[in-house]
Amino acid sequence: MEPWAQKHQPKSVGEIQGQNQAVTLLLNYIKNFTPASSDGKRKGRAALIYGKPGCGKTSAIHAIAREMGVEIVEVNASDVRNKDSINAKLGPAMTQMSLFMTGKIILIDEVDGVSGNADRGGLQELASLIDKTRYPVIMTANDPWDKKFATLRNKSLMIEFRSLAYPSILAILKKIAVAEGVDFEEDALTMLARRVGGDLRGAINDFQTLSEYTKRLKKEDLDDLSQRRQKETMIDALMRIFKTKSLDVSLPALDNVDEDIDSVFLWIDENLPNEYKKIDDLMRAYDTLSLADVFRGRIRRRQHWRYLAYINNFLTAGISLAKKEKYQGFNKYTRTTRILKMWQYNQKNAKKKAIAQKIAQKTHTSEKRVMKDTLPYIKGLLAGELSEYFDLNDDEIKYVKSMK
């Protein structure tokens, strides 16, 4: 299932909706860019475009590059988080000639992702490379006003992409409806365009969810949207995580699944080895799963619930991007058997724990100590008054005597 937001990205500048001023500024920056040796460290060495998610920042850059016939070298900032990785991946791209001799644009997507202690030196190195670049550098951000971006802002032309007005979103949805053969009620499509608050990508994703298989959109479909999402299963979520490398698909995979976070961990753990066949992919995926578990532990110990966002990112995008390439074929994803085994184990040992509690109370020791040291030696002594002293019934006496 190809995401419509990706399938119907604008192919040219003329197809970009509602961002005329921003696109004009961006085109002027690219066309007027000169190599670093000509202008040193002047402001405007790079372009930093910003705006809310779904307003078309990245797709606009790709459309411009396609129309200008230049190569685009795209790096997600979350993949180059420190000085060494930034220098290794971006240094050559900014200074070496394009592979196809066509010119190129360096796109650093979601530069907000460069943050925290793990990224020490990353922003400084990026700023230094911008001074040396031979090619236009465009960075995208949702919110560039954090003080840590002060140096980048000073070197960059700031270009705002505004949230799209609903008529622009409506026009794009209508084009997609024609291309996908979807019959729609005008009021329904207008309502969908209005309700997303300027998030074009969100509108397209909702449109695909509601109409991809039925090939129609009615007002009652919108009323039923939240209920449909709640009915998404963990199987659907796993397919979105395992079968794609697109962040637009994997990141929201768990948003509407009715499973607690502990169950999600077990589902992924159970099915990962069946999906990721290459040992390096599997190793990276389990490393990511372990990082998510670290944050889960911090929530339990310190009640830092803000870490839930990190856990979601690790369990969705992190697992998705752990593989080098998508695996073909279909695997039958199954619910973990660990919970059943734990339940069976607990049932089996419930009587043993009850006996240990009674003996621990009478002997003024811990239940754990009784389980480990006392029960193995006491079964031959449980008769008459001793059984009465520990208040054990016949079933409990029989259980202790049957222990090996």
Side-chain angles (χ1 to χ4, degrees):
M1 179 180 71
E2 183 179 6
W4 286 0
Q6 180 176 321
K7 182 179 179 181
H8 296 287
Q9 283 185 340
K11 303 297 189 295
S12 64
V13 172
E15 294 181 13
I16 302 172
Q17 287 280 343
Q19 305 290 359
N20 293 344
Q21 183 178 359
V23 169
T24 299
L25 290 172
L26 193 54
L27 280 169
N28 288 338
Y29 161 73
I30 297 170
K31 291 176 179 179
N32 297 324
F33 179 85
T34 54
S37 58
S38 302
D39 51 15
K41 299 182 179 182
R42 69 169 174 82
K43 184 177 178 65
R45 291 290 312 144
L48 178 53
I49 68 175
Y50 62 96
K52 293 181 178 180
C55 64
K57 302 184 293 294
T58 304
S59 59
I61 297 168
H62 280 274
I64 290 171
R66 189 178 294 110
E67 185 164 295
M68 295 181 69
V70 298
E71 178 187 356
I72 187 164
V73 178
E74 182 174 357
V75 175
N76 191 288
S78 62
D79 296 328
V80 286
R81 297 176 64 87
N82 56 44
K83 178 179 178 179
D84 291 340
S85 59
I86 284 177
N87 187 49
K89 290 194 176 183
L90 292 176
M94 290 184 181
T95 57
Q96 296 176 2
M97 188 172 292
S98 168
L99 181 63
F100 302 104
M101 308 289 286
T102 57
K104 61 183 171 182
I105 293 171
I106 312 298
L107 170 58
I108 306 169
D109 208 11
E110 298 178 347
V111 76
D112 321 60
V114 183
S115 61
N117 293 334
D119 313 315
R120 190 170 293 123
L123 291 175
Q124 292 88 335
E125 182 66 15
L126 179 56
S128 175
L129 289 173
I130 286 173
D131 289 335
K132 306 170 186 175
T133 183
R134 296 178 56 189
Y135 301 98
V137 176
I138 303 174
M139 300 169 285
T140 72
N142 295 328
D143 179 12
W145 303 113
D146 191 295
K147 62 181 181 181
K148 69 183 180 184
F149 296 126
T151 302
L152 288 183
R153 289 198 302 269
N154 289 336
K155 293 179 179 292
S156 302
L157 173 67
M158 303 292 290
I159 302 176
E160 181 181 9
F161 270 56
R162 300 181 180 277
S163 295
L164 291 175
Y166 90 88
S168 296
I169 294 177
L170 180 59
I172 294 170
L173 293 180
K174 285 183 176 180
K175 286 185 178 180
I176 294 174
V178 172
E180 296 293 340
V182 176
D183 184 26
F184 62 89
E185 294 180 356
E186 186 78 20
D187 288 347
L189 207 62
T190 301
M191 190 183 303
L192 180 58
R194 284 181 177 274
R195 67 188 292 175
V196 295
D199 182 354
L200 174 60
R201 184 168 58 240
I204 296 174
N205 289 341
D206 282 349
F207 188 31
Q208 183 174 9
T209 298
L210 293 172
S211 63
E212 182 175 23
Y213 299 110
T214 62
K215 296 301 180 183
R216 58 114 174 99
L217 181 71
K218 298 181 178 180
K219 287 180 69 175
E220 52 263 36
D221 296 328
L222 295 179
D223 297 333
D224 196 39
L225 179 61
S226 59
Q227 293 182 1
R228 290 186 183 206
R229 284 179 166 173
Q230 289 174 3
K231 293 178 182 178
E232 288 184 1
T233 67
M234 196 61 210
I235 304 295
D236 299 324
L238 289 179
M239 289 189 67
R240 293 186 182 194
I241 294 168
F242 290 158
K243 292 297 186 183
T244 184
K245 284 179 66 67
S246 169
L247 294 181
D248 288 341
V249 176
S250 60
L251 267 176
L254 300 174
D255 288 356
N256 304 295
V257 174
D258 188 18
E259 294 275 355
D260 62 58
I261 197 67
D262 294 331
S263 295
V264 172
F265 270 88
L266 293 172
W267 270 97
I268 293 176
D269 177 57
E270 180 80 11
N271 292 282
L272 254 181
N274 297 325
E275 181 70 31
Y276 288 13
K277 303 300 184 183
K278 296 179 180 178
I279 190 65
D280 288 343
D281 290 351
L282 191 60
M283 178 186 69
R284 284 188 294 269
Y286 272 118
D287 280 345
T288 302
L289 190 63
S290 70
L291 287 173
D293 194 41
V294 169
F295 282 98
R296 180 170 59 162
R298 290 173 182 171
I299 290 176
R300 287 173 174 171
R301 290 192 303 272
R302 306 170 192 170
Q303 299 298 298
H304 289 177
W305 292 100
R306 64 183 182 275
Y307 289 150
L308 277 174
Y310 301 140
I311 293 175
N312 181 78
N313 290 346
F314 281 126
L315 294 181
T316 56
I319 298 292
S320 179
L321 297 178
K323 57 184 178 292
K324 287 284 185 68
E325 56 188 26
K326 293 186 287 186
Y327 289 92
Q328 301 300 317
F330 175 76
N331 286 309
K332 183 178 180 180
Y333 304 131
T334 59
R335 178 176 289 277
T336 179
T337 58
R338 189 178 303 178
I339 294 176
L340 175 60
K341 290 176 181 177
M342 290 170 60
W343 180 83
Q344 290 172 335
Y345 176 83
N346 288 334
Q347 288 294 105
K348 181 179 179 181
N349 287 276
K351 187 173 291 185
K352 185 176 181 180
K353 290 180 179 180
I355 295 168
Q357 287 174 355
K358 292 180 178 180
I359 296 175
Q361 184 178 6
K362 293 290 186 178
T363 58
H364 306 288
T365 187
S366 68
E367 179 185 331
K368 183 178 180 181
R369 184 68 176 269
V370 172
M371 293 275 285
K372 181 180 179 181
D373 297 331
T374 308
L375 280 180
Y377 301 102
I378 202 172
K379 62 180 182 179
L381 304 175
L382 286 182
E385 294 181 0
L386 193 57
S387 299
E388 294 178 5
Y389 177 74
F390 289 132
D391 196 24
L392 302 181
N393 58 40
D394 291 340
D395 285 341
E396 291 170 335
I397 295 171
K398 183 178 179 181
Y399 177 86
V400 174
K401 289 184 176 181
S402 68
M403 288 175 53
K404 294 181 180 180

